[in-house]
């Protein structure tokens, strides 16, 4: 297995281009199943997860034209040869489950394995299933598979989510585009990726309003057409590099950053004493810290526009070298502190008590071998390693390859000493 060797203590200086958003790309790709015409996605991130979903789509009969390394991907679902997404393909990545609704809406039936995904809690799909059922789907869960049927098509419905779910909001939105009548989603997730998906679906002929607010309305249409859509920039990638620059020190400009989607992250960084200049029109964020101490800041993860759970681990890495004690509360997932013991191997002083991690800042982290446990946790170890004295080996970096495009290249371009070491 590959690992990363990082020699810390070098400040980061330069420009980092931000890639297309993984989380958005995965749902946009699923949208191709709703139309017989080609969907072209530009600004596509080349990642293990997006490549993996393209293979799943191909196994359903979608013609995929996406040359290696290319940022444009053409998906043509003129004919589907299968409506079954098997266990082996869905278990590796939870977002694969989102192919269920589109296939059901288009073909009237679909069978999809229950998902796997990151080891960050139980992560059930009950809200996804309740939404499809409310639209008239007949669902059976048998031997780990969801068998769904809607012989006369899906019907519009009013769906009130008991709590906010990004995946369930997107799944319901995808399915409702081809339902008969109006669907209203209440207590919908407001993440920027929801608005990105709605923009793409509307370009395909859907009629969606309110995406990005807590109430989304979808007027079902007979059929959708092809379209070309640019994937929004990755706010989590941008936030991650902002924290890397803050932790290692230096002067980094993030280029093509989704500034408007990063309010809570920018606020937390500024409160910790880091200089952040965000320019929404230019889509740039400049992060500077030259020798000044970091202040301890408390954060609470919340659905958007709150502080994102996908940046919690990275912020913990930063707080582990701040002056004072910070309390980081994880409200979205029940088991998302697996990076804490690994950060402690680098000398961080972190105590986890239920939903809270109490982080006492230390003067200096020191390099050590550590193990990546999930996607965002892995990158928090990279951030800590960049700030640490000496060498860190981050093992099991396949998690990083799932979600960060050209990570070593982007960091070494700013002066980081980081190398991939091939494992056997
Ligand atoms: C998406 C993101 C993930 C991010 C998360 C929260 C993608 C591919 N992934 O995940 O990176 O961390 O949003 O911002 O976009 N839940 C249920 N039942 C359901 C659905 C969810 O109980 O049917 C729970 C989950 O276990 C979790 C909470 O709801 O505790 C929020 O999950 P959700 O917003 O659905 O996250 P994902 O869409 O899986």
């Amino acid at each position: 297995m590959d690992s990363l060797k990082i020699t810390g203590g070098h400040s980061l200086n330069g420009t980092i281009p931000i890639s297309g958003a993984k989380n958005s790309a995965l749902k946009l790709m699923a949208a191709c199943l709703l139309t017989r015409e080609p969907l072209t996605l530009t600004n596509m991130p080349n990642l293990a997860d997006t490549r993996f979903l393209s293979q799943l789509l191909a196994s359903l009969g979608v013609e995929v034209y996406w040359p290696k390394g290319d940022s444009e991907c053409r998906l043509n679902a003129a004919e589907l040869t299968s409506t079954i997404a098997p266990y082996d393909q869905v278990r590796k990545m939870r977002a694969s489950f989102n192919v269920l609704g589109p296939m059901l809406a288009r073909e009237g039936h679909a069978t999809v394995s229950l998902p796997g995904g990151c080891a960050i809690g139980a992560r059930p799909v009950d809200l996804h299933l309740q939404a499809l059922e409310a639209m008239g789907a007949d669902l059976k869960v048998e031997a780990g598979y969801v068998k769904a049927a809607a012989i006369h098509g899906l019907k519009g419905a009013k769906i009130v989510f008991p709590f906010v779910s990004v995946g369930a909001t997107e799944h319901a939105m995808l399915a409702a585009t081809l339902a008969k009548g109006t669907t209203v989603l209440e207590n919908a997730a407001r993440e920027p990726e929801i608005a990105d998906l709605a923009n793409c679906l509307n370009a395909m002929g859907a009629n969606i309003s309110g995406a990005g607010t807590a109430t989304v309305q979808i007027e079902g249409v007979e059929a959708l057409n092809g379209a070309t859509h640019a994937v929004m920039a990755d706010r989590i990638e941008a936030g991650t590099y902002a924290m890397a620059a803050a932790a290692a020190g230096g002067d980094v400009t993030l280029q093509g950053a989704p500034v408007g989607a990063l309010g809570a992250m920018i606020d937390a960084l500024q409160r910790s004493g880091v200089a952040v200049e965000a320019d929404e029109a230019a889509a740039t964020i400049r992060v500077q810290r030259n020798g000044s101490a970091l202040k301890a800041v408390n954060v609470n993860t919340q659905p958007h526009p709150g502080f994102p759970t996908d940046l919690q681990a990275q912020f913990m890495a930063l707080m582990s070298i701040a002056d004072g004690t910070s309390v980081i509360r994880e409200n979205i997932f029940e088991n998302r502190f697996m990076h804490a013991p690994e950060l402690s191997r680098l000398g961080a002083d972190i105590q986890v008590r239920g939903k809270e991690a109490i982080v006492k800042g230390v003067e200096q982290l020191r390099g050590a071998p550590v193990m990546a446990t999930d996607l965002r946790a892995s990158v928090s170890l990279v951030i800590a390693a960049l700030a640490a004295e000496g060498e860190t080996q981050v093992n099991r970096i396949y998690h990083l390859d799932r979600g960060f495009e050209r990570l070593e290249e982007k960091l070494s371009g700013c002066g980081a000493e980081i190398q991939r070491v091939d494992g056997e």
Side-chain angles (χ1 to χ4, degrees), residues 23 26-27 94-95 123-128 163-167 191 309-310 332-333 336:
N23 284 356
L26 294 172
K27 322 306 165 58
R94 181 178 165 85
R123 300 186 88 178
V125 285
D126 51 332
L127 299 188
H128 298 234
F163 53 89
V164 173
S165 161
V166 176
E191 267 63 7
T309 174
D310 285 352
I332 310 292
F333 292 108
R336 207 174 200 184

Side-chain angles (χ1 to χ4, degrees), residues 290-333:
N290 291 311
S292 59
L294 287 162
K295 286 183 231 150
V297 166
N298 298 341
V299 297
N300 260 317
T301 64
Q302 297 289 353
H304 193 77
F307 190 90
T309 174
D310 285 352
L311 287 174
Q312 178 258 106
Q314 298 89 317
F315 197 70
M316 192 182 294
L318 183 66
M319 288 299 98
S320 68
I321 50 166
D323 261 1
T325 300
S326 55
V327 179
I328 297 181
R329 190 177 166 86
E330 172 57 54
N331 292 308
I332 310 292
F333 292 108

